[in-house]
Amino acid sequence: MGQALLEINDLAVSFSTQGGEVQAVRGVTFAVDKGETVAIVGESGCGKSVTAQSIMRLIPQPPGRIKNGTIHMNGKDLASLSEKQMRGVRGKQIGMIFQDPMTSLNPTLKVGDQLTEGILTHQKISKADAKKEAIDLLHLVGIANPEERLQQYPHQFSGGMRQRLMIAMALMCKPELLIADEPTTALDVTIQAQIIDLFKEIQRKTGVAIIIITHDLGVVAQIADRINVMYAGEIVETGTVKEIFYDPQHPYTRGLLHSVPRLDGDRSQKLVPIVGSPPDLFSPPEGCAFARRCDYAMEVCVSLDPDYTKLSNKHYTKCWLQDTRAEKPF
């Protein structure tokens, strides 16, 4: 296999506050191949969005900073680029869809002006050609009457339509990688399904690689090729969709799956919440970050941080239960 499109190695991101240093991302490593969809899942505050913003170099400095690690896109280390160089990457090589489309769109500018701004910045193209590109993209994302819509303002679009606008805007410069941060949050289930289908269609037509960040495992099951499960700023398990859903090996991954309702099983089966709270990232624990909430924790879990164990070519987990000396609880 050739070089990955995106390679993140040992990424660490911290934020300085009056109360001390928050270690938001702690040693994250993963890769994305061309045309692949990789999901990052986990509960709120686990570091998913900070990881995505670090790729785009959108972490406010100060208070944030990339303490360690590399972010390679097509072999180029984004973490070492100047701000001017990064402006040539954002939009052109990497597109991003932010969490809330209403706050990401300028309410005072027409949709057409916002859509064409990126392509006019990055490419030598006339306004007429940029408008034609915008019309074609609105067709692609399923917005009817695109010429008329270009003259409207964001408040004249529904929530689902605004999300489609954000997808069109992120694709305007034909990037190789698309980062979607909680793209279906706050949308009803019918619109969620339409947005997921739209991502599949866009990937089929353009070949763009996608990183999707979500806490919704239902979304992940429908769209992702591989899943990274994050907890307390770390990736605790990674694998294919089949491996994560049918053979989860980290107690946190199992806890996430057991806390989600299933439509294909026993409807009377109770959901099992994960007791406790995530650790304080002002002073992360010495051992496994999940140990205090884990039903299978051993003494070593509290005192020593486990290494990754390779379970298959794409399945890794960070848990002492994989040690040959440990009893297998599941």
Side-chain angles (χ1 to χ4, degrees), residues 8 11 25 28 30 40 47-55 230:
I8 297 176
L11 179 67
V25 174
V28 162
F30 70 94
I40 303 176
K48 305 186 300 294
S49 293
V50 173
T51 299
Q53 290 166 10
S54 299
I55 296 170
M230 281 194 77

Side-chain angles (χ1 to χ4, degrees), residues 2-3 22 25 29 35 130 135 137 142 146 171 189 192 219 240 248 255 261 266 271 294 313 317:
Q3 185 184 57
V22 179
V25 174
T29 297
I135 290 169
L137 265 178
L171 291 170
V189 291
Q192 283 185 16
V219 169
T240 64
D266 182 0
L271 300 182
C294 181
N313 286 336
T317 189

Side-chain angles (χ1 to χ4, degrees), residues 17-29:
T17 71
Q18 289 184 338
E21 180 185 348
V22 179
Q23 299 178 43
V25 174
R26 306 184 297 133
V28 162
T29 297

